[in-house]
Each structure stands twice: as structure tokens, then as C-alpha cells.
Amino acid sequence: MLLTAANQDYLRAFATELAGADLSRPLVVVTKGRMPRPLALALDDLNIAVVIFCSQSFHRTTLELRTEKGPVLAPDQTFDAGAECRDIKNIAMVHFWRPIVRKSVPSADWAVRAVRRLKDSGYRCSVAIGLSAGAGIAQEELVQTGLLEGTAEARDELWDAEAWQDINSAAAAVGYPVYRSTSCAIALATGRAEALGVWDCRRGAAEQCLPCHCPRTQRDLCQSRTLQPEVAQEHLAWIADTLGSSMSGLEVLPGRRVRTGGRVRQSMISLTLHKYQIELLPESISAERAWLGRFGRESGNE
């Protein structure tokens, strides 16, 4: 969104329309480019919450081969981009750290230096994501660039636990949040409770929330939003009505899951999760855009 002048003009126009609609949701932009100062000031004047995820893998500093092509920022430019927006009230800068593999996190000391520079540059937090694998991903190319030691059988994501531990330990030492969920980062950046239940022990907290270094105030804010295990009848009625079915065709499962027959649109899966923190489990999913990985929290047919 920030790599060309035309895209920047579009972002300004879109943000203006969003501000005019008087919605409470934040505007989130993921980019490998730089937010120009004039555009940042223009967005700030709109008085809406803007979260900029700056994608930076640091591969240029840790690998001999350049793995990210095109007009993307080098690591030092990413640090500069964070510093340039640090004083802007309505823009929160977040670092998107993908992928986490040992080749791009060479040591614990390196992790401390990288995390400290992110904090000093004004980034509110980072989000660490694993290496994508599966359909459409050429593992041979990942092996050639050194990101992957050898081909692996994976369905969506390869996660390097040791590299993550170096990053997480560095986050605790420096006092800088590093999350495993973009939802957590958006919550911290906007001063809200996390919306998808990542913090809840019934919804993956042991992997996505509790291992991460997160400010105590933010944890308290998220935990204050207790997620009721029961699925309200009014929410089931909304699901049935939206799907054009009857409530008798819905089966409520533990963990705020609802099984339904037939084919369900991808957007409906996302909408139900965001709107009511309910995960739909249909017989099949109709893809509406490119999507790599699982739709839900579990592997397998569901």
C-alpha cells in the first residue's frame, strides 16, 4: 500500500472515507514500504486509529542471499520508518516479523540487539510468524536461500521454537512486547482488549498468549473481557438467518464452535469469529480470496 505514489493516494482517499463513516474500528495497513511524513500527518489529521504493520524479516542482515525482492525496505530503513512516525498521535507502528527461522535469528545476542533497536525506533510491538508451507510454496527455493534446512511435510506453518525462545527472552529483557497473534498487536496499539479470545485458556492461550512478553496492564485489560463458554441463542439465530438455514441444523461444540452443514463462504467464517468469537465448522469452505493456511485453530478436516 505504501510502495507507489498511486497506492499512497488511494490510502489517503480511503482513510478519508473511513473517517467520514464515523466507524470505531482501526485502519490497519501491512506494508514493506515506508510511510512518508506528509501522508502520516494527513492521516493523523483524520483523527482515526491507524496501525501500520511494517514487515521486516531482517534477512538482509543475516543471509548472504537477498530473499525479499522489489522496492522493499532494508532493516535500517525499517528502523528509520518507525522513528519517523513515533511522535504522531493517531498512528501506531508495529513490526511484522516473518518468518521466524534460525537462519534469520542467528543468536540470542543478535535477538537482543534487534529487539532493542525496534523499541528505540518507536515500534509498539512485534508480531512473530512462522515460515509458510503448503500449496503454492516452493520448498526447494526456501532450501536454496537458506531459510529451510531441508524439505518438510507441513500443512501451513513451520515454527522454529528455539529461534522464538531467543526472541521472546530478548523481549522480556528489553521490555518490548513480541506477540504471536496480529490480534494481540492491534489490541495493544489501540488500547483495547484483544477481540478474538487469544488470551482465553479455552481458545489457544497456552500457545498464542501466555508465552509472550506482554505488559501487565494489557493482560489485565484482556482478562477483564471474560469470554462466556456458552453460545447465546441470539447469536445462533443470527448465524442460521445469515446462512439461510434453521437453528436445528447447527450443532454447538465445546470451545465456542458451531458445526453446520453445507458450504460456507470464507467471509462468513471470518465475520462470525470477529463478531461473536464463534468458530464455524462447515462441511466445506468457499474461498473468496487467496488464503494460505487454516481457517480455524485446529488442524485436520475441521
Side-chain angles (χ1 to χ4, degrees):
M1 188 54 69
L2 299 178
L3 293 182
T4 68
N7 281 1
Q8 293 172 15
D9 290 341
Y10 177 83
L11 175 60
R12 186 197 303 257
F14 180 87
T16 301
E17 292 292 329
L18 185 64
D22 195 28
L23 300 176
S24 61
R25 65 192 61 177
L27 172 61
V28 179
V29 177
V30 182
T31 182
K32 293 185 179 182
R34 169 183 162 273
M35 170 72 76
R37 182 75 176 180
L39 177 58
L41 293 173
L43 295 179
D44 189 46
D45 288 341
L46 296 175
N47 201 33
I48 59 175
V50 180
V51 183
I52 306 295
F53 280 78
C54 290
S55 179
Q56 177 56 252
S57 63
F58 297 117
H59 292 165
R60 291 192 185 185
T61 61
T62 57
L63 293 176
E64 295 180 0
L65 296 174
R66 179 178 176 182
T67 58
E68 294 180 294
K69 302 176 182 179
V72 301
L73 298 185
D76 285 342
Q77 293 173 316
T78 297
F79 294 129
D80 293 341
E84 194 162 359
C85 294
R86 180 166 43 195
D87 63 333
I88 296 182
K89 176 184 177 183
N90 293 310
I91 295 181
M93 302 296 288
V94 173
H95 167 229
F96 192 61
W97 204 334
R98 180 173 188 166
I100 299 299
V101 294
R102 176 49 72 190
K103 280 289 186 179
S104 60
V105 186
S107 68
D109 290 341
W110 181 92
V112 171
R113 292 194 298 271
V115 168
R116 181 173 288 117
R117 286 201 65 183
L118 287 166
K119 180 180 180 180
D120 292 344
S121 296
Y123 286 94
R124 296 293 306 277
C125 60
S126 292
V127 177
I129 306 295
L131 183 65
S132 294
I137 301 295
Q139 291 197 17
E140 293 79 7
E141 184 176 341
L142 298 177
V143 174
Q144 292 173 3
T145 58
L147 294 178
L148 194 60
E149 293 183 358
T151 56
E153 294 184 4
R155 302 184 61 169
D156 54 5
E157 182 184 42
L158 297 172
W159 182 256
D160 192 312
E162 292 183 358
W164 157 252
Q165 186 56 50
D166 285 346
I167 292 174
N168 200 29
S169 297
V174 174
Y176 173 82
V178 178
Y179 295 114
R180 291 187 57 179
S181 167
T182 54
S183 184
C184 293
I186 293 172
L188 178 74
T190 56
R192 307 178 184 185
E194 192 276 322
L196 299 184
V198 174
W199 43 269
D200 193 281
C201 290
R202 293 162 293 185
R203 295 183 58 80
E207 294 182 357
Q208 299 295 324
C209 174
L210 298 180
C212 302
H213 178 73
C214 183
R216 181 73 259 173
T217 52
Q218 182 64 32
R219 287 199 184 275
D220 291 342
L221 181 61
C222 292
Q223 290 171 356
S224 67
R225 179 177 170 168
T226 303
L227 188 64
Q228 298 299 323
E230 299 81 10
V231 176
Q233 288 297 305
E234 60 185 279
H235 298 166
L236 288 175
W238 177 86
I239 293 173
D241 181 67
T242 306
L243 293 177
S245 64
S246 65
M247 290 180 59
S248 62
L250 303 178
E251 179 187 1
V252 179
L253 303 174
R256 295 184 65 81
R257 297 180 173 194
V258 174
R259 188 186 302 280
T260 180
R263 191 173 181 86
V264 174
R265 291 177 290 111
Q266 174 189 329
S267 58
M268 180 61 181
I269 302 286
S270 300
L271 179 60
T272 306
L273 186 61
H274 282 254
K275 189 177 181 70
Y276 296 123
Q277 291 80 56
I278 295 173
E279 184 174 351
L280 284 182
L281 301 176
E283 292 180 357
S284 63
I285 299 173
S286 175
E288 295 173 296
R289 63 179 78 78
W291 188 292
L292 178 66
R294 297 190 302 265
F295 286 89
R297 297 185 305 278
E298 299 290 343
S299 59
N301 294 332
E302 295 182 347

